[in-house]
Amino acid sequence: APGAGVPAPQPAAADEVPSGEAPKRFEMRPVALPQPDAAADPAAVLAGRRFLVLGDGAQVAARLAGYGAEAVTVEADHLLGEADGVVDGVLYLGALPGSDAPVLPDAFPVLRAALARGPRWLLAVRPADGADAARSAGLHGLFRTVAREYPDTVARVVTLGDTAPEAVADALLAELLAPEPAPVVLRTAAGRQGLELVEVAPGALAGTGAGPAGEGAAEAAALGLDRDSVVLLVGGARGITAKFAATLAAACRCRIELLGRTPAPNGPEASDTAAARTPAELRAALAARGGLKPAEINREAELILAQREITATLDELAALGSEARYHAVDFRDRDAALQAVKEIHADHGRLDGVVFAAGVIEDRLIAEKSPESFQRVYGTKTTGAATLLAALEELPNGPGFAVLFGSISAVLGNRGQADYAAANDALESLGAGWAERTGNRALTVHWGPWAPVGGHTGMVSPELGREYARRGVRLIDPDEGTAALLRELAWGEESVRAVVYTASGW
């Protein structure tokens, strides 16, 4: 769990797991930050320091040299190593205008190599608006995590309204002298600002109170959802995705299309495994077949358990009165994903809402994280979401809303989750771009950790759950969490592009 905002550990039994509770609602809002002391002498801080400037930073280097620092400019993709010598600060300019390529994931190994040199400062700059801002999506989440893993480094990404060379040099010089450790700084016409979570009570949503949590009929009606409506959920038929599908079914009996990477069940389960109810029993049954290696047994057992969850979800949705189907589609395969969305729209002649909840985690500290692993985690979220949103734009009448499931790690940072934090942060930019192009609503919901959903632990293992309990961190109750999302969609302000829902202790 992130360090900031977590209370001092409370006494807890060794086997205690946090209970679920209704989540609180937060928004990320600008807050004024202090300006560096105008009377301070920059040379007192910078003289004798050595900086590496990654990118087109001749003006930045000249300004630093004017205050007695040594500044060396190199290409934006330069991987720092022993040959670069002592480095006090690294200034990354690769997100400034001049390229159409996304900054992440390619910048990750560059920034990782820079951190390995132990700099006092690691600063990056990015534009505030337009296509150049979109290409640097994810940097906020990444730098929030860098700040947690490297507390002795001032790690900061600075958003600039003016990216002219002189303005960039002014901003970086000021940020090198800034006293506070804010990992995200906005320097625009509104002044120098940071971003902070502000609790906004659910009661502030217009229409809230139309029914107890879990009913959802008033919320569905406010959204215009009924039995003829079609909602597509990407991220499998398990865990939180399945739980929200059930909430929709109970609220309005709409038609539901579920897409996930797990192969769909192709008939009744074999008799020798059908009677095995626990993972241990299932592995024993598979081992009894003979000819399978332990790793193959584990993979087969995981597949069978996942397919059981898919079947159980479809049965539950049918019992609630919804027509539901499951499709095995990997959204990292753009062509397959586009085809699936078009076929679903063609089958029904409409698509009223979309929820994107796909993702994977491979938690490692930045120093131990390979570029390939970063790419897998980052790409599963961002490539999948971008593919889905692109497919929706090709439909003759797209959905009225698109919900992207993010993570609280994007807004707080989290040790070991640089890739996951960056990916979920990038969802906001993807959704906002789609909303601007289509005029439809896009909402990124950054969730805190959830309590187990229907026996599925999601991304909170029992061990992690006990650690949360020791820290006084609670988990989101599944019924309360999905009800909160339905209320948000029904009565939340449509101009709000991202919200945070998390239980107490964060």
mmCIF file of all heavy atoms in Angstrom, residues 56-81:
data_model
loop_
_atom_site.group_PDB
_atom_site.id
_atom_site.type_symbol
_atom_site.label_atom_id
_atom_site.label_comp_id
_atom_site.label_asym_id
_atom_site.label_seq_id
_atom_site.Cartn_x
_atom_site.Cartn_y
_atom_site.Cartn_z
ATOM 1 N N ASP A 56 16.595 17.863 -26.329
ATOM 2 C CA ASP A 56 17.053 19.115 -26.913
ATOM 3 C C ASP A 56 17.043 20.190 -25.837
ATOM 4 O O ASP A 56 16.085 20.947 -25.684
ATOM 5 C CB ASP A 56 16.138 19.505 -28.077
ATOM 6 C CG ASP A 56 16.649 20.724 -28.836
ATOM 7 O OD1 ASP A 56 17.763 21.177 -28.526
ATOM 8 O OD2 ASP A 56 15.920 21.204 -29.717
ATOM 9 N N GLY A 57 18.115 20.284 -25.075
ATOM 10 C CA GLY A 57 18.133 21.167 -23.912
ATOM 11 C C GLY A 57 19.306 22.118 -23.875
ATOM 12 O O GLY A 57 19.848 22.394 -22.790
ATOM 13 N N ALA A 58 19.700 22.652 -25.011
ATOM 14 C CA ALA A 58 20.846 23.561 -25.044
ATOM 15 C C ALA A 58 20.607 24.780 -24.152
ATOM 16 O O ALA A 58 21.512 25.233 -23.439
ATOM 17 C CB ALA A 58 21.123 24.005 -26.484
ATOM 18 N N GLN A 59 19.386 25.326 -24.188
ATOM 19 C CA GLN A 59 19.107 26.517 -23.387
ATOM 20 C C GLN A 59 19.130 26.179 -21.893
ATOM 21 O O GLN A 59 19.622 26.954 -21.070
ATOM 22 C CB GLN A 59 17.737 27.088 -23.771
ATOM 23 C CG GLN A 59 17.379 28.365 -23.055
ATOM 24 C CD GLN A 59 17.166 29.523 -24.023
ATOM 25 O OE1 GLN A 59 16.966 29.321 -25.208
ATOM 26 N NE2 GLN A 59 17.253 30.738 -23.513
ATOM 27 N N VAL A 60 18.592 25.009 -21.542
ATOM 28 C CA VAL A 60 18.618 24.571 -20.141
ATOM 29 C C VAL A 60 20.057 24.430 -19.672
ATOM 30 O O VAL A 60 20.427 24.898 -18.582
ATOM 31 C CB VAL A 60 17.863 23.230 -19.986
ATOM 32 C CG1 VAL A 60 18.001 22.703 -18.561
ATOM 33 C CG2 VAL A 60 16.397 23.394 -20.356
ATOM 34 N N ALA A 61 20.895 23.790 -20.486
ATOM 35 C CA ALA A 61 22.291 23.584 -20.112
ATOM 36 C C ALA A 61 23.019 24.917 -19.935
ATOM 37 O O ALA A 61 23.823 25.096 -19.007
ATOM 38 C CB ALA A 61 22.998 22.740 -21.174
ATOM 39 N N ALA A 62 22.726 25.876 -20.815
ATOM 40 C CA ALA A 62 23.385 27.173 -20.710
ATOM 41 C C ALA A 62 22.992 27.882 -19.419
ATOM 42 O O ALA A 62 23.838 28.510 -18.759
ATOM 43 C CB ALA A 62 23.011 28.034 -21.920
ATOM 44 N N ARG A 63 21.720 27.801 -19.041
ATOM 45 C CA ARG A 63 21.266 28.450 -17.816
ATOM 46 C C ARG A 63 21.934 27.823 -16.592
ATOM 47 O O ARG A 63 22.342 28.518 -15.660
ATOM 48 C CB ARG A 63 19.743 28.339 -17.696
ATOM 49 C CG ARG A 63 18.986 29.157 -18.730
ATOM 50 C CD ARG A 63 19.056 30.655 -18.436
ATOM 51 N NE ARG A 63 18.412 30.965 -17.183
ATOM 52 C CZ ARG A 63 17.093 31.106 -17.034
ATOM 53 N NH1 ARG A 63 16.292 30.954 -18.085
ATOM 54 N NH2 ARG A 63 16.583 31.405 -15.851
ATOM 55 N N LEU A 64 22.042 26.510 -16.584
ATOM 56 C CA LEU A 64 22.687 25.828 -15.462
ATOM 57 C C LEU A 64 24.164 26.224 -15.367
ATOM 58 O O LEU A 64 24.688 26.479 -14.277
ATOM 59 C CB LEU A 64 22.547 24.313 -15.619
ATOM 60 C CG LEU A 64 21.141 23.744 -15.416
ATOM 61 C CD1 LEU A 64 21.100 22.283 -15.851
ATOM 62 C CD2 LEU A 64 20.715 23.867 -13.965
ATOM 63 N N ALA A 65 24.810 26.258 -16.531
ATOM 64 C CA ALA A 65 26.229 26.626 -16.545
ATOM 65 C C ALA A 65 26.430 28.039 -16.016
ATOM 66 O O ALA A 65 27.452 28.341 -15.372
ATOM 67 C CB ALA A 65 26.777 26.507 -17.958
ATOM 68 N N GLY A 66 25.443 28.921 -16.260
ATOM 69 C CA GLY A 66 25.540 30.289 -15.780
ATOM 70 C C GLY A 66 25.533 30.395 -14.267
ATOM 71 O O GLY A 66 25.954 31.427 -13.715
ATOM 72 N N TYR A 67 25.098 29.361 -13.590
ATOM 73 C CA TYR A 67 25.092 29.348 -12.127
ATOM 74 C C TYR A 67 26.149 28.401 -11.561
ATOM 75 O O TYR A 67 26.068 27.967 -10.413
ATOM 76 C CB TYR A 67 23.706 28.968 -11.609
ATOM 77 C CG TYR A 67 22.681 30.050 -11.854
ATOM 78 C CD1 TYR A 67 21.708 29.885 -12.831
ATOM 79 C CD2 TYR A 67 22.706 31.235 -11.126
ATOM 80 C CE1 TYR A 67 20.769 30.881 -13.069
ATOM 81 C CE2 TYR A 67 21.770 32.235 -11.362
ATOM 82 C CZ TYR A 67 20.801 32.055 -12.335
ATOM 83 O OH TYR A 67 19.876 33.051 -12.570
ATOM 84 N N GLY A 68 27.111 28.051 -12.387
ATOM 85 C CA GLY A 68 28.240 27.277 -11.899
ATOM 86 C C GLY A 68 28.071 25.775 -11.932
ATOM 87 O O GLY A 68 28.923 25.046 -11.397
ATOM 88 N N ALA A 69 27.014 25.296 -12.581
ATOM 89 C CA ALA A 69 26.810 23.852 -12.700
ATOM 90 C C ALA A 69 27.406 23.343 -14.004
ATOM 91 O O ALA A 69 27.564 24.102 -14.969
ATOM 92 C CB ALA A 69 25.320 23.518 -12.641
ATOM 93 N N GLU A 70 27.720 22.059 -14.045
ATOM 94 C CA GLU A 70 28.125 21.418 -15.289
ATOM 95 C C GLU A 70 26.905 20.720 -15.872
ATOM 96 O O GLU A 70 26.217 19.976 -15.169
ATOM 97 C CB GLU A 70 29.235 20.402 -15.036
ATOM 98 C CG GLU A 70 29.664 19.667 -16.304
ATOM 99 C CD GLU A 70 30.655 18.549 -16.046
ATOM 100 O OE1 GLU A 70 31.069 18.382 -14.872
ATOM 101 O OE2 GLU A 70 30.988 17.820 -16.997
ATOM 102 N N ALA A 71 26.624 20.970 -17.140
ATOM 103 C CA ALA A 71 25.452 20.376 -17.778
ATOM 104 C C ALA A 71 25.857 19.748 -19.099
ATOM 105 O O ALA A 71 26.462 20.401 -19.956
ATOM 106 C CB ALA A 71 24.369 21.423 -17.999
ATOM 107 N N VAL A 72 25.540 18.487 -19.269
ATOM 108 C CA VAL A 72 25.866 17.729 -20.479
ATOM 109 C C VAL A 72 24.562 17.334 -21.153
ATOM 110 O O VAL A 72 23.671 16.762 -20.513
ATOM 111 C CB VAL A 72 26.691 16.472 -20.142
ATOM 112 C CG1 VAL A 72 26.995 15.689 -21.421
ATOM 113 C CG2 VAL A 72 27.970 16.851 -19.411
ATOM 114 N N THR A 73 24.410 17.649 -22.432
ATOM 115 C CA THR A 73 23.207 17.270 -23.175
ATOM 116 C C THR A 73 23.477 15.993 -23.969
ATOM 117 O O THR A 73 24.531 15.834 -24.582
ATOM 118 C CB THR A 73 22.762 18.387 -24.131
ATOM 119 O OG1 THR A 73 23.818 18.659 -25.055
ATOM 120 C CG2 THR A 73 22.432 19.662 -23.362
ATOM 121 N N VAL A 74 22.514 15.099 -23.939
ATOM 122 C CA VAL A 74 22.575 13.835 -24.678
ATOM 123 C C VAL A 74 21.213 13.588 -25.307
ATOM 124 O O VAL A 74 20.253 14.332 -25.065
ATOM 125 C CB VAL A 74 22.964 12.653 -23.757
ATOM 126 C CG1 VAL A 74 24.377 12.808 -23.240
ATOM 127 C CG2 VAL A 74 21.980 12.526 -22.597
ATOM 128 N N GLU A 75 21.117 12.545 -26.115
ATOM 129 C CA GLU A 75 19.832 12.210 -26.737
ATOM 130 C C GLU A 75 18.811 11.804 -25.670
ATOM 131 O O GLU A 75 19.177 11.295 -24.597
ATOM 132 C CB GLU A 75 20.002 11.074 -27.736
ATOM 133 C CG GLU A 75 20.870 11.416 -28.942
ATOM 134 C CD GLU A 75 20.263 12.508 -29.796
ATOM 135 O OE1 GLU A 75 19.024 12.513 -29.963
ATOM 136 O OE2 GLU A 75 21.026 13.379 -30.273
ATOM 137 N N ALA A 76 17.519 12.004 -25.988
ATOM 138 C CA ALA A 76 16.461 11.715 -25.020
ATOM 139 C C ALA A 76 16.380 10.242 -24.664
ATOM 140 O O ALA A 76 15.884 9.881 -23.593
ATOM 141 C CB ALA A 76 15.113 12.196 -25.557
ATOM 142 N N ASP A 77 16.864 9.362 -25.546
ATOM 143 C CA ASP A 77 16.797 7.923 -25.276
ATOM 144 C C ASP A 77 18.107 7.371 -24.713
ATOM 145 O O ASP A 77 18.319 6.155 -24.671
ATOM 146 C CB ASP A 77 16.400 7.149 -26.533
ATOM 147 C CG ASP A 77 17.378 7.339 -27.682
ATOM 148 O OD1 ASP A 77 18.344 8.133 -27.531
ATOM 149 O OD2 ASP A 77 17.180 6.718 -28.742
ATOM 150 N N HIS A 78 18.996 8.246 -24.262
ATOM 151 C CA HIS A 78 20.298 7.824 -23.743
ATOM 152 C C HIS A 78 20.131 7.051 -22.426
ATOM 153 O O HIS A 78 19.444 7.489 -21.518
ATOM 154 C CB HIS A 78 21.171 9.052 -23.504
ATOM 155 C CG HIS A 78 22.502 8.735 -22.908
ATOM 156 N ND1 HIS A 78 23.508 8.095 -23.606
ATOM 157 C CD2 HIS A 78 23.010 8.959 -21.657
ATOM 158 C CE1 HIS A 78 24.568 7.961 -22.837
ATOM 159 N NE2 HIS A 78 24.304 8.462 -21.638
ATOM 160 N N LEU A 79 20.779 5.891 -22.351
ATOM 161 C CA LEU A 79 20.763 5.088 -21.129
ATOM 162 C C LEU A 79 22.021 5.410 -20.325
ATOM 163 O O LEU A 79 23.132 5.076 -20.732
ATOM 164 C CB LEU A 79 20.724 3.591 -21.466
ATOM 165 C CG LEU A 79 19.470 3.078 -22.168
ATOM 166 C CD1 LEU A 79 19.630 1.601 -22.530
ATOM 167 C CD2 LEU A 79 18.241 3.265 -21.300
ATOM 168 N N LEU A 80 21.844 6.061 -19.201
ATOM 169 C CA LEU A 80 22.987 6.440 -18.380
ATOM 170 C C LEU A 80 23.691 5.209 -17.824
ATOM 171 O O LEU A 80 23.039 4.211 -17.488
ATOM 172 C CB LEU A 80 22.540 7.335 -17.220
ATOM 173 C CG LEU A 80 22.469 8.841 -17.503
ATOM 174 C CD1 LEU A 80 21.316 9.147 -18.440
ATOM 175 C CD2 LEU A 80 22.303 9.614 -16.195
ATOM 176 N N GLY A 81 25.009 5.304 -17.729
ATOM 177 C CA GLY A 81 25.804 4.219 -17.172
ATOM 178 C C GLY A 81 27.048 4.763 -16.501
ATOM 179 O O GLY A 81 27.199 5.971 -16.291
#
